[in-house]
């Protein structure tokens, strides 16, 4: 359980970090909270020769409102997210989600940027970011670019990041005031990754869903944005028939692995159950 040897670097700016990653090549890795990367190094599933620690870069910290968006610095910890008033006021689903990640010890150091960049389908934030229509700000040696969360995840541990690029911030459009939200996660015990989980953001007007967006965690090689299921609910009153149709559409796009959390059939069905519960809670919160 001891990682292989590596050189440690602690840059103090994004420019210095991406310069180091470019110079050191593909065997170098960024490290944020280290709560996914270090366990993988201990198991020798990752063996970077150089670690570039993002922890000394002040520009990667902080949460701010900008226009109609909230921008979260990549090095914001899950613990800081939970305590942020702006997040509580504008994006409460992020607090509900962060509180279901691991335990306080992990949340004190695990970062939002690390959670979304890691590419593990078991991470909770990616499906929520897809549900919210978030955009990732990314910087590499050839400059900055923006990638929609819905286009970022390409396979297990395989994302749209080019070698040497880092996520610097996450930009999230604030859903309408009074929106409904819920993140429902089935796990075997406290601190476990999801057997299946569902995120819902919902805006209701006159008893009908004006808009609805659904994300699913750990029921495929990547987090999923359930576009057809979301469409099935828009314009409906979230009556039983509409919910059943949406659940069927969501279950159809899943392809979970068989592991100690259950068979593919069980995990697909649990995705449907989590979605049904998340829709009911989101509808209640939307005041419908
Ligand atoms: C016991 C335990 C239980 C856990 N349970 C859960 C859970 O239920 N749900 C959940 O979502 N997570 C869970 N985690 C993972 C935890 O949330 C991690 O903190 C998170 O996945 C990664 O964040 P990090 O800051 O620790 O990243 P690190 O471990 O430092 O990095 C992870 C990966 O992302 C890359 N990376 C990190 N930051 C950036 C960046 N800014 N730009 C580009 N690449 C970057 C690294 O190079 C590495 O490949 C658990 C971890 C532990 C130890």
């Amino acid at each position: 359980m001891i990682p292989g040897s590596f050189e440690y670097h602690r840059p103090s700016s994004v420019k210095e970090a991406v310069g180091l990653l470019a110079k050191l090549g593909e065997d170098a890795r960024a490290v944020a909270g280290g709560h996914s990367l270090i366990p993988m190094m201990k198991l020798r599933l990752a063996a970077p020769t150089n670690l570039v620690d993002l922890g000394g870069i002040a520009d990667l910290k902080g949460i701010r409102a900008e226009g109609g968006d909230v921008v979260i610095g990549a090095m914001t910890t899950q613990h800081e997210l939970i305590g942020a008033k702006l997040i509580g006021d504008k994006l409460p689903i992020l607090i509900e989600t962060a509180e279901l990640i691991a335990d306080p010890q992990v949340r004190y150091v695990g970062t939002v940027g690390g959670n979304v960049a890691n590419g593990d389908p078991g991470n909770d934030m990616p499906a929520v970011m897809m549900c919210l229509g978030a955009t990732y700000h990314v910087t590499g040696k050839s400059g900055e670019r923006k990638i929609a969360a819905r286009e970022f995840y390409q396979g297990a541990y395989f994302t749209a990041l080019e070698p040497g690029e880092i996520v610097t911030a996450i930009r999230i459009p604030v859903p309408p005031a009074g929106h409904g939200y819920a993140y429902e996660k089935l796990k075997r015990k406290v601190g476990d990754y999801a057997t299946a989980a569902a995120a819902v953001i919902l805006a209701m007007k006159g008893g009908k869903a004006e808009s609805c967006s659904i994300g699913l965690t750990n029921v495929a090689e990547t987090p999923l944005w359930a576009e057809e299921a979301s469409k099935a609910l828009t314009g409906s009153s979230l009556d039983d028939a509409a919910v059943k149709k949406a659940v069927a559409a969501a279950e159809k796009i899943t392809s979970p692995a068989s592991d100690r959390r259950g068979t593919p059939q069980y995990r697909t069905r649990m995705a449907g159950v989590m979605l049904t519960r998340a829709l009911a809670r989101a509808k209640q919160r939307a005041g419908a």
Side-chain angles (χ1 to χ4, degrees):
M1 297 300 273
I2 298 170
S5 60
F6 56 86
E7 294 289 322
Y8 175 82
H9 310 265
R10 193 170 166 91
S12 54
S13 69
V14 171
K15 195 174 168 204
E16 196 188 338
V18 296
L20 273 168
L21 287 166
K23 188 178 94 183
L24 296 167
E26 288 196 24
D27 287 335
R29 288 276 278 274
V31 62
H35 270 49
S36 287
L37 184 55
I38 304 294
M40 287 182 80
M41 288 169 65
K42 286 183 169 182
L43 293 168
R44 305 286 171 124
L45 295 171
T49 50
N50 288 273
L51 283 188
V52 176
D53 187 349
L54 306 180
I57 306 176
D59 284 352
L60 296 180
K61 287 291 245 184
I63 302 170
R64 63 181 191 276
E66 216 177 82
D69 301 334
V70 168
V71 180
I72 302 171
M75 287 301 289
T76 303
T77 65
Q78 292 146 11
H79 172 76
E80 287 164 343
L81 198 68
I82 290 169
K85 182 168 181 323
L86 183 62
I87 300 296
D89 290 345
K90 305 289 185 193
L91 293 163
I93 192 170
L94 293 184
I95 296 184
E96 184 157 292
T97 305
E99 283 176 338
L100 290 168
I101 292 177
D103 50 49
Q105 273 177 304
V106 172
R107 298 196 293 259
Y108 275 125
V109 276
T111 66
V112 183
N115 201 287
V116 301
N118 192 27
D120 180 341
N123 281 138
D124 289 289
M125 284 295 170
V128 180
M129 295 304 176
M130 292 169 101
C131 177
L132 285 162
T135 302
Y136 302 156
H137 292 209
V138 166
T139 301
K141 67 175 189 305
S142 31
E144 286 177 48
R145 62 189 183 116
K146 293 180 181 135
I147 310 171
R150 289 173 192 169
E151 286 161 17
F152 188 77
Y153 300 96
Q154 301 178 346
Y157 297 101
F158 185 54
T159 69
L161 282 180
E162 296 291 343
E165 281 185 325
I166 60 167
V167 175
T168 55
I170 299 127
R171 176 178 288 271
I172 306 166
V174 173
H179 68 275
Y181 66 91
Y183 188 64
E184 282 283 344
K185 174 175 174 178
L186 177 68
K187 47 188 180 170
R188 297 169 302 174
K189 60 179 176 60
V190 170
D192 194 17
Y193 289 87
T195 299
V200 170
I201 293 286
L202 182 66
M204 300 286 288
K205 193 170 180 189
K208 303 254 188 233
E210 266 196 318
S211 64
C212 179
S213 182
I214 295 166
L216 301 172
T217 297
N218 218 12
V219 284
E221 273 209 353
T222 63
L224 299 171
W225 181 49
E227 188 174 9
E228 289 308 313
S230 308
K231 277 189 193 154
L233 291 163
T234 307
S236 82
S237 61
L238 266 73
D239 53 283
D240 288 351
V243 169
K244 267 192 189 145
K245 201 170 153 197
V247 165
E251 289 184 357
K252 201 168 155 195
I253 61 167
T254 66
S255 53
S258 179
D259 62 17
R260 278 179 289 180
R261 293 185 180 83
T263 62
Q265 293 83 350
Y266 172 71
R267 295 180 64 186
T268 290
R269 189 64 205 106
M270 288 308 103
V273 172
M274 292 303 108
L275 177 55
T276 307
R277 289 182 189 172
L279 286 167
R281 273 202 308 122
K283 183 178 173 182
Q284 206 176 28
R285 282 170 164 163

